[in-house]
Amino acid sequence: MASTTRPRRKVRERREDVRNRVLSAATEMMADGTPYTELPVQRIAERADVARSTFYLHFPDKSRLLIALAEQAVEELFGEAVIWWRADHAGGQDGVAHAMRQMIAAYREHRRVLDALGEVAGYDPDVAAFWRDRKRRFDEVVRDRLDAERRAGTVDPAMDVPATAQVLIWMVERTIAGHCRHDEGPGDERIARTLARVIWLTVYGMPPSPPGVPREPAAP
């Protein structure tokens, strides 16, 4: 049994090594300034020190390579925000500001991959499906929390939960992407706190009361 398991483990390790080398090579080449769409498979394979045929054994096409690169990038982009949406919000805007800082940092670290993901998703159905699925998963987290808050009476009962979740996700993702393209870092804290305030007021702010009725804002 051991003699059978050991060769299988070695084969698996070799496959993982090749896969990691290809991913590292593509990442390094993009870090050098080459846009993902301009990376030829042959050059990626040469940088990874693998044969072109070996590349295709692991990645049938460049779309699958981009999806593999984007897996970690997207997880880190949404990870801290998911934690905040599922957490106790007793900390107020400070908690969401922390999540926004982490999202900005993740976007900066993986900017080239995330920019390529957004570009290629515009015309590649496989990449588009991957990106839609990851945003859908995040959307479900936001919707679940907003539904729970509405049932608890801590948000405006008239809130359109699906639309609110969609607007918040689009706003945050597009704002961070645009900010990171035009700001090298000095404005990160300002953007994080502004996003936090907008999110907090959108979720927990209440519409004005009718004239003569005291306004009692909801508190989570």
Side-chain angles (χ1 to χ4, degrees):
M1 184 69 177
S3 60
T4 303
T5 304
R6 199 172 296 118
R8 288 177 179 174
R9 184 183 299 119
K10 288 183 178 179
V11 169
R12 184 171 62 252
E13 289 173 352
R14 283 198 298 270
R15 288 175 177 171
E16 290 176 354
D17 176 62
V18 170
R19 179 182 174 85
N20 290 336
R21 279 158 50 195
V22 171
L23 292 173
S24 295
T27 300
E28 291 167 2
M29 293 170 75
M30 293 170 70
D32 292 341
T34 306
Y36 181 79
T37 53
E38 297 178 15
L39 288 179
V41 169
Q42 184 61 40
R43 283 184 56 202
I44 297 173
E46 290 172 357
R47 181 84 170 240
D49 194 23
V50 301
R52 183 186 178 96
S53 58
T54 302
F55 173 96
Y56 284 119
L57 284 175
H58 295 269
F59 304 99
D61 51 43
K62 279 183 63 182
S63 296
R64 302 310 305 178
L65 173 60
L66 178 56
I67 289 170
L69 288 167
E71 287 279 3
Q72 180 181 358
V74 172
E75 182 177 346
E76 293 185 13
L77 178 66
F78 291 138
E80 198 68 31
V82 168
I83 291 172
W84 181 78
W85 280 106
R86 289 175 172 167
D88 179 0
H89 290 177
Q93 292 183 36
D94 288 343
V96 67
H98 172 73
M100 293 302 101
R101 290 187 201 102
Q102 296 302 108
M103 286 191 75
I104 291 171
Y107 198 98
R108 287 200 182 283
E109 181 178 354
H110 301 288
R111 174 181 163 184
R112 291 174 176 83
V113 170
L114 292 169
D115 285 349
L117 178 64
E119 178 183 356
V120 178
Y123 58 82
D124 186 291
D126 290 336
V127 175
F130 166 82
W131 191 212
R132 282 197 307 270
D133 177 67
R134 292 306 183 271
K135 287 191 285 189
R136 177 191 57 77
R137 295 183 192 182
F138 186 41
D139 181 81
E140 289 175 355
V141 172
V142 178
R143 285 193 192 197
D144 287 348
R145 181 55 179 263
L146 294 179
D147 274 329
E149 297 284 8
R150 190 170 59 177
R151 289 194 301 271
T154 53
V155 302
D156 181 1
M159 176 186 289
D160 183 328
V161 167
T164 301
Q166 189 175 67
V167 166
L168 288 175
I169 292 168
W170 285 356
M171 174 194 70
V172 170
E173 194 267 329
R174 288 293 83 201
T175 297
I176 290 176
H179 167 69
C180 289
R181 290 193 189 102
H182 302 290
D183 187 298
E184 294 302 319
D188 287 5
E189 181 63 19
R190 182 166 165 251
I191 292 296
R193 290 208 163 272
T194 299
L195 284 171
R197 184 173 186 274
V198 172
I199 293 167
W200 187 266
L201 292 178
T202 299
V203 175
Y204 294 117
M206 295 291 279
S209 299
V213 178
R215 183 176 185 274
E216 296 183 1

